Amino acid sequence: MSKQQQNTELFYEYYEKWIRVYKMGAIRKVTLDKYMMTLKWLKRLAPELKVCELNRIEYQEILNKYAEYHERQTTMDFHHQLKGAILDAVDDGLIERDPTRKAIIKGKTPSEKKRKYLNQFELHMLLTSLELKQEVSWEWLILLVAKTGMRFSEALGLTPKDFDFEHQMLSINKTWDYKGEGGFMPTKNKSSVRKIQIDWKTVIQFSELLKGLPENEPIFVKGNVYNSTVNSVLSRYCKKANIPEITIHGLRHTHASLLLFAGVSIASVARRLGHSSMTTTQKTYLHIIQELENKDIDIVMRSLSGLN
């Protein structure tokens, strides 16, 4: 196809082709789904816009229209997903100048966010309300995520073989594809492959629970699994305990938050959560780190004021 023909191509068609060539097979399905959602919005917001017509004003109008329906952070993600394709079009000479330069990111006023984590008292109330029976159930998964901070897909990927009761260790080395057709999958990244220390009470509970179960089969997966099912169970127990309702991912946040408030280093928390770097941990838990810094300042000031 000549550049002249390409210049008459619709922008959303170019973007669709760009996803197929550069993204399919190179990124995880969950990330690819985000690009496909961006494509759907692009078709809706600029169905007749040609590649050759894309300039700063046209691009800003696309962003502005998108921002009418979404919060600023979501608009920023939309912008970044479009920008990669646009910069490639500039490099290929299909667009003369980068239309994303100096783009203004707007968005709806953020809705009131639900609290993403529980405090120590609330977590205690939740765990004591769990009806833990002698057979595997979602209640046991909720307990384990609260005690380890692992991701939902990592918990689903656990087999009895992953438990080392003698050394009180739990190996995270795979996940379960609950969003697709099922089956074991690799972890999110290399850093996600890790060993997590578990407390003696959890060791006793799970050593009894897992007796007689097949070593290499997932503990919690029996047929199709949906995130919403576990969240519903968790929500029911939150209501029962009269505490804020959170999601199963919120239990991961709760675990990390309690460790940070207890004075555990960011490096140790990052390793336990399987983050690729401490930067990820710092960004995710910035609000808690800032609270701890304020607490540290108070301690420093009290110490200094006691000096003669």
Side-chain angles (χ1 to χ4, degrees), residues 98-284:
D98 176 13
T100 68
R101 183 173 171 270
K102 293 186 178 180
I104 306 299
I105 308 301
K106 305 174 186 177
K108 291 198 308 179
T109 303
S111 55
E112 187 178 343
K113 295 286 191 292
K114 286 185 179 179
R115 182 137 62 90
K116 292 183 179 179
Y117 64 94
L118 302 175
N119 61 36
Q120 189 166 354
F121 173 75
E122 291 164 344
L123 181 62
H124 174 74
M125 294 296 292
L126 171 66
L127 297 186
T128 53
S129 74
L130 292 178
E131 297 169 15
L132 299 169
K133 299 178 181 176
Q134 292 183 340
E135 66 276 353
V136 175
S137 64
W138 292 130
E139 283 84 354
W140 285 107
L141 182 140
I142 289 169
L143 174 69
L144 197 58
V145 171
K147 289 287 190 85
T148 62
M150 72 176 78
R151 299 176 178 93
F152 179 57
S153 60
E154 293 172 343
L156 293 179
L158 288 175
T159 64
K161 194 175 181 180
D162 296 322
F163 286 80
D164 180 353
F165 296 120
E166 184 180 350
H167 298 97
Q168 294 185 213
M169 299 294 281
L170 181 57
S171 294
I172 308 298
N173 49 47
K174 58 194 174 304
T175 63
W176 186 262
D177 181 22
Y178 70 94
K179 292 183 179 179
E181 297 179 359
F184 292 115
M185 287 182 65
T187 54
K188 186 174 183 180
N189 50 56
K190 288 182 180 179
S191 303
S192 297
V193 177
R194 63 201 187 277
K195 290 183 184 293
I196 299 176
Q197 192 92 32
I198 50 178
D199 64 277
W200 64 268
K201 188 175 180 182
T202 303
V203 166
I204 293 171
Q205 290 173 313
F206 275 83
S207 61
E208 286 296 316
L209 183 69
L210 303 183
K211 276 182 180 176
L213 295 183
E215 273 203 342
N216 295 306
E217 291 185 17
I219 298 164
F220 296 106
V221 178
K222 302 289 183 291
N224 293 332
V225 180
Y226 302 100
N227 185 277
S228 56
T229 303
V230 185
N231 282 336
S232 295
V233 174
L234 178 55
S235 179
R236 176 162 53 86
Y237 279 105
C238 287
K239 288 176 183 175
K240 179 183 174 183
N242 196 28
I243 59 175
E245 290 179 50
I246 61 167
T247 63
I248 194 72
H249 194 71
L251 278 181
R252 177 171 161 85
H253 288 313
T254 297
H255 183 81
S257 302
L258 293 182
L259 292 182
L260 289 168
F261 277 124
V264 178
S265 71
I266 294 174
S268 295
V269 174
R271 281 195 298 272
R272 192 169 174 88
L273 295 181
H275 283 163
S276 55
S277 71
M278 283 190 291
T279 305
T280 305
T281 315
Q282 288 170 322
K283 284 181 179 177
T284 308

